[in-house]
Each structure stands twice: as structure tokens, then as C-alpha cells.
């Protein structure tokens, strides 16, 4: 299959969406498909790299969210490249510029168009004029309009599915959680390497470390982790909170740390390269998150793949992922967060825990993710062909009945 992934965000930008797209791209290529990325220009990235299947189109920073970009020109070039590549499927990953172009490309070429709904926009309205311009009902109306006539929609979680149904989206929807490249996170540093990295951060071999890894945005609720740390320190006085990532909330979080007198127990690392992330999971003893805005929570899967127990905010998604204490615990109250963290910092995992984790790891693997996505491509292509027969061209990858 020749697959076009249309997205406004891609590496070197750091985000869960970019990671999800790259995971899908790499796994599709591994299984013999040809994958082409249609995305935005980026100051930190080279221009288009056709030899790598990456095409970039002129863009500007997105309003009120300047570390993300939106394409402003390029429709004719997008269509020309898509025709030259003879795409079989368009798979959009954004509702904005390149997502709209992807819909038009699919219509022009007479091929299926699918969409992955990554972002719960109602959680991000404060970025646009402090929430005074758009309301949740506007998000519902715009999503319904954009997804109209889509051949298929991928919801990464039950929460996204319920949201889209609530919006009145009528396109076929399939829940397909984003997978994780297990081999990347199961790379193990040597003991000497781990000790060296810990020492560079001022940690000893036995220092209990809580890891928070995400964009430092207010909706990630990292301030709740900092607020709970004094309660954790009463039982585990040498615990350290390692905060990896950067974003608009960083200065506020650093000020909170100072005001609570916690600067000796909190380390801000800043943004790190995606290829270095796995090292930081291995530095920690437990992964923590108080975010309630996640549509899929890729960092949770990465922590699980890195053999870290999780203590995270309860949601439909996390309740399904964390269904055994061998994997972790969910919380709603601060006391539950504190209790869960202390449990994993002060106890050793049971022997049978590893078997339970392996079952869950298979479910979230990139291989399973790719298989489910390709099956949905096939299903949507056949449905589209039946709707437009006899005029719709039969695609070479479609299964014969």
C-alpha cells in the first residue's frame, strides 16, 4: 500500500501526536508498505526529504500555541506530489491545514480518507484568547463538520469514542490505541550507565525517583504532583521528583517548588530528544501523572514498556490500561496518589507481576497497532468502493471477496 500521512506536527517537534505518527510510519514500513509524510516546515528541520518520504509545506506558528505550526500554502504542490506517488490511502492526523488538504487529495484521487482524532480540544480552549472565543459546543460542531463524509475515524481510546459519539459524528469509528515500539523502551542501560546518569542528576544508587514526563502545560496538572510531594516525603524523606519536558507552565511550576521549599527534591530537566527518552524511564522507580486531559497517554505505555509501575489520574483510558496492581494504580484524591507512590517506592514487585505485564505489553505493541490500522484501511476501502461502484477504482491492496 502507498499511504499518505497528513499532519501539522512531526519530528523534530516533540508531542504524543508526533510519536504516534512515527510509530505507525515505522511499523507500516517494516511490514512492506510505502509511507509518505505530508507535514509543515520547521525551523529545526531540513526542507522536504523525498528520499525519506517526508514532504514539508510552508507554515507559520499556530496562534497562542507557537511551538506548533500550521501550513499556509501548498495545496497545488500537495496534490501534485500525491498524484505522482499514486497514493492508495490518505490518513489524516490533524483537523487543520494539512488535514483539510488531505481530505481534498482523497476526493481528487478517489481514494479512502481516514482520520485519527488525537486531541481533546475542549481541554485546550484556554490557549485561544483565554477561552473567550471558542466554547465546547463550537468544538463539537467543527469536529462534526470536519469528520463528515470521512471513510473511517480512529479513536485512540474509549474516551475519544464517547466524545465523538456525543458530538454526533456519523462516520464509522474504530478504537485503535496507539502502539509502542517495545524494543526502543526495553533497551537496557548497563548498571554503570544508570549509576552515571543518576550521579549527574545528584541521585545515588538508592535514591527513590518519581518520574513525570510530558509537555509542561497547565492541563497536565503537574502542580498536583508537586503539591503532593511533601506528604510523600513524610514516609520516604529522600524521594526525588524528576520532571522531564518543557512548556508554558514551567516557570509557574518552578515558582511553586520554591514556595513549598522543595527545590532540593525536584529536578527540572527540560525537553530532551525523543531518542534519549528511554534512559530517563530507567532512572526512575515509579511513573506519575495527574493529567486528566489525555486521549491516549503514550507516556503511560512507554513507562509500562520500560518496566515502571504507574500511579496516574483515573480516567476511562487509564482504568482500562491499569487493570492490575502489577501494572500500577489510578487515583482521584491526593491521598490515593500519595499512598500509591509510597507503595511502589517501598515494596518489591511479586514474581508473577512480570507475566501480567507481558500480556498487557502485547496489547499495546506497535505490531498490534499496525495490524489493526491496516485492517481498518482495508475495511474502509471496501466500504468506499461499494458506495461508489462501478465508478470507484478498485485499489490494489483490497482483499478479494
Amino acid at each position: 500500500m502507498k499511504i499518505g500521512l497528513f499532519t501539522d506536527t512531526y519530528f523534530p517537534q516533540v508531542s504524543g501526536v508526533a510519536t504516534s505518527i512515527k510509530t505507525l510510519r515505522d511499523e507500516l514500513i517494516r511490514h512492506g508498505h510505502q509511507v509518505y509524510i505530508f507535514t509543515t516546515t520547521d525551523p529545526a528541520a531540513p526542507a522536504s526529504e523525498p528520499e525519506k518520504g517526508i514532504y514539508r509545506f510552508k507554515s507559520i506558528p499556530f496562534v497562542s500555541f507557537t511551538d506548533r505550526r500550521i501550513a499556509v500554502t501548498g495545496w497545488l504542490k500537495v496534490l501534485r506530489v500525491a498524484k505522482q506517488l499514486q497514493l492508495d490511502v490518505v490518513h489524516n492526523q490533524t483537523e487543520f491545514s494539512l488535514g483539510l488538504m488531505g481530505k481534498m487529495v482523497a476526493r481528487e484521487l478517489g481514494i479512502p480518507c481516514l482520520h485519527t482524532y488525537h486531541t481533546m480540544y475542549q481541554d485546550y480552549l484556554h490557549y485561544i484568547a483565554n477561552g473567550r472565543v471558542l466554547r465546547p459546543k463550537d468544538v463539537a460542531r467543527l469536529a462534526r463538520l470536519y469528520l463528515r463524509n470521512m471513510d473511517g475515524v480512529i479513536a485512540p481510546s474509549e474516551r475519544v469514542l464517547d466524545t465523538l459519539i456525543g458530538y454526533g459524528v456519523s462516520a464509522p469509528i474504530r478504537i485503535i490505541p496507539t502502539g509502542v515500539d517495545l524494543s526502543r523502551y526495553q533497551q537496557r542501560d548497563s548498571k554503570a550507565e544508570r549509576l552515571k546518569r543518576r550521579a549527574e542528576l545528584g541521585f545515588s544508587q538508592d535514591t527513590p525517583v518519581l518520574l513525570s514526563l510530558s509537555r509542561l502545560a497547565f492541563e497536565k496538572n503537574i502542580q498536583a504532583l508537586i503539591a503532593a510531594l511533601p506528604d510523600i516525603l513524610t514516609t520516604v524523606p529522600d524521594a526525588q521528583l524528576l520532571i522531564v519536558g518543557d512548556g508554558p507552565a514551567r516557570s509557574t511550576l518552578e515558582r511553586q517548588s520554591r514556595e513549598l521549599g522543595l527545590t532540593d527534591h525536584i529536578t527540572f530537566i527540560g525537553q530532551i530528544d525523543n531518542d534519549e527518552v528511554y534512559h530517563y524511564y530507567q532512572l526512575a522507580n515509579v511513573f506519575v501523572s495527574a493529567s486528566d486531559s489525555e486521549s491516549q497517554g503514550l507516556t503511560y505505555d512507554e513507562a509500562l514498556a520500560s518496566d515502571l509501575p504507574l500511579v496516574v489520574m483515573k480516567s476511562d483510558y487509564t482504568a482500562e490500561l491499569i487493570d492490575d496492581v502489577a501494572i500500577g494504580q489510578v487515583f482521584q484524591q491526593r491521598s490515593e496518589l500519595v499512598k500509591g507512590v509510597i507503595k511502589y517506592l517501598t515494596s518489591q514487585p511479586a514474581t508473577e507481576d512480570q507475566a501480567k505485564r507481558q500480556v498487557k505489553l502485547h496489547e499495546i505493541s506497535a505490531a498490534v497497532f499496525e495490524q489493526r490500522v491496516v485492517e481498518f484501511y482495508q475495511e474502509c476501502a471496501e466500504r468506499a468502493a461499494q458506495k461508489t461502484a462501478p465508478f470507484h477504482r478498485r485499489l490494489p491492496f483490497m482483499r478479494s471477496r
Side-chain angles (χ1 to χ4, degrees):
M1 297 172 62
K2 296 179 180 179
I3 302 156
L5 300 180
F6 287 69
T7 174
D8 287 326
T9 180
Y10 193 64
F11 290 109
Q13 295 179 31
V14 177
S15 70
V17 175
T19 300
S20 173
I21 295 166
K22 189 173 189 305
T23 298
L24 178 60
R25 170 190 178 272
D26 292 349
E27 200 65 25
L28 286 167
I29 291 174
R30 191 174 293 126
H31 284 81
H33 303 286
Q34 298 175 52
V35 184
Y36 305 96
I37 304 291
F38 292 73
T39 190
T40 56
T41 53
D42 190 284
S48 294
E49 301 173 281
E51 70 283 1
K52 296 182 179 180
I54 300 174
Y55 298 87
R56 294 186 181 272
F57 302 90
K58 186 177 179 180
S59 65
I60 59 175
F62 190 78
V63 61
S64 301
F65 205 178
T66 55
D67 56 349
R68 298 291 180 262
R69 303 184 67 83
I70 186 167
V72 291
T73 61
W75 156 240
L76 292 178
K77 181 181 177 182
V78 167
L79 181 59
R80 183 176 70 252
V81 171
K83 285 182 175 179
Q84 291 172 345
L85 296 174
Q86 298 183 315
L87 296 181
D88 294 318
V89 173
V90 166
H91 185 173
N92 293 337
Q93 312 282 330
T94 174
E95 296 78 20
F96 297 100
S97 56
L98 278 158
L100 294 171
M101 292 184 198
K103 288 188 71 173
M104 292 189 287
V105 164
R107 185 171 63 225
E108 288 287 329
L109 299 185
I111 59 177
C113 185
L114 291 85
H115 180 80
T116 294
Y117 196 85
H118 287 283
T119 306
M120 305 296 283
Y121 289 103
Q122 66 267 34
D123 297 328
Y124 295 82
L125 295 180
H126 57 280
Y127 282 110
I128 304 176
N130 292 321
R132 292 191 295 269
V133 175
L134 293 177
R135 298 287 186 267
K137 66 179 181 180
D138 300 315
V139 173
R141 178 174 56 83
L142 293 171
R144 188 168 59 249
L145 179 64
Y146 173 79
L147 295 174
R148 187 173 61 188
N149 300 323
M150 197 69 68
D151 292 300
V153 179
I154 293 176
S157 67
E158 191 82 31
R159 181 191 181 202
V160 176
L161 172 66
D162 291 343
T163 298
L164 294 179
I165 291 175
Y167 288 169
V169 173
S170 58
I173 307 174
R174 176 76 55 82
I175 296 178
I176 305 178
T178 294
V180 173
D181 182 353
L182 300 181
S183 62
R184 174 189 294 268
Y185 295 97
Q186 291 174 335
Q187 299 176 71
R188 307 310 296 177
D189 289 337
S190 68
K191 182 177 180 181
E193 289 172 328
R194 288 197 298 275
L195 289 177
K196 180 182 177 182
R197 290 181 184 276
R198 275 182 162 249
E200 290 171 349
L201 294 169
F203 304 158
S204 72
Q205 176 180 347
D206 300 320
T207 300
V209 178
L210 295 69
L211 174 67
S212 167
L213 195 153
S214 72
R215 184 170 181 270
L216 302 193
F218 293 102
E219 65 273 6
K220 299 299 183 181
N221 202 24
I222 300 169
Q223 59 271 20
L225 302 178
I226 295 174
L229 188 57
D231 294 342
I232 294 169
L233 292 173
T234 60
T235 303
V236 189
D238 55 343
Q240 293 283 334
L241 174 59
L242 181 62
I243 298 178
V244 178
D246 211 343
R250 179 167 179 170
S251 60
T252 301
L253 296 172
E254 290 177 332
R255 183 170 63 252
Q256 180 189 11
S257 301
R258 292 193 299 270
E259 291 173 350
L260 292 176
L262 294 172
T263 53
D264 288 341
H265 290 275
I266 299 178
T267 303
F268 290 86
I269 293 293
Q271 183 172 302
I272 60 172
D273 187 272
N274 188 63
D275 291 334
E276 298 294 312
V277 167
Y278 77 96
H279 296 297
Y280 290 86
Y281 285 113
Q282 292 185 41
L283 286 175
N285 301 95
V286 61
F287 178 86
V288 290
S289 172
S291 172
D292 59 0
S293 65
E294 304 302 318
S295 62
Q296 52 188 321
L298 285 179
T299 53
Y300 305 163
D301 296 342
E302 292 170 358
L304 177 58
S306 303
D307 209 26
L308 268 186
L310 292 76
V311 179
V312 301
M313 179 70 80
K314 184 177 182 180
S315 67
D316 290 341
Y317 173 74
T318 57
E320 181 179 356
L321 174 69
I322 304 172
D323 53 7
D324 194 289
V325 292
I327 297 167
Q329 292 185 7
V330 296
F331 68 87
Q332 290 179 299
Q333 305 298 323
R334 181 193 297 187
S335 59
E336 296 171 325
L337 163 61
V338 172
K339 182 178 179 181
V341 168
I342 291 173
K343 167 185 166 61
Y344 291 111
L345 290 182
T346 59
S347 62
Q348 296 296 319
T351 305
E352 63 271 15
D353 286 356
Q354 191 58 38
K356 295 176 181 178
R357 295 173 71 87
Q358 287 302 316
V359 172
K360 184 65 67 172
L361 285 173
H362 173 73
E363 295 175 4
I364 66 170
S365 68
V368 171
F369 172 46
E370 183 270 348
Q371 179 183 353
R372 290 172 176 169
V373 170
V374 170
E375 288 174 353
F376 198 39
Y377 287 164
Q378 299 270 10
E379 178 185 316
C380 292
E382 291 177 356
R383 187 186 303 111
Q386 290 170 358
K387 285 194 302 184
T388 58
F391 305 105
H392 196 289
R393 71 181 177 95
R394 185 169 182 81
L395 301 175
F397 65 85
M398 288 170 54
R399 296 169 298 191
S400 40
R401 290 188 176 279

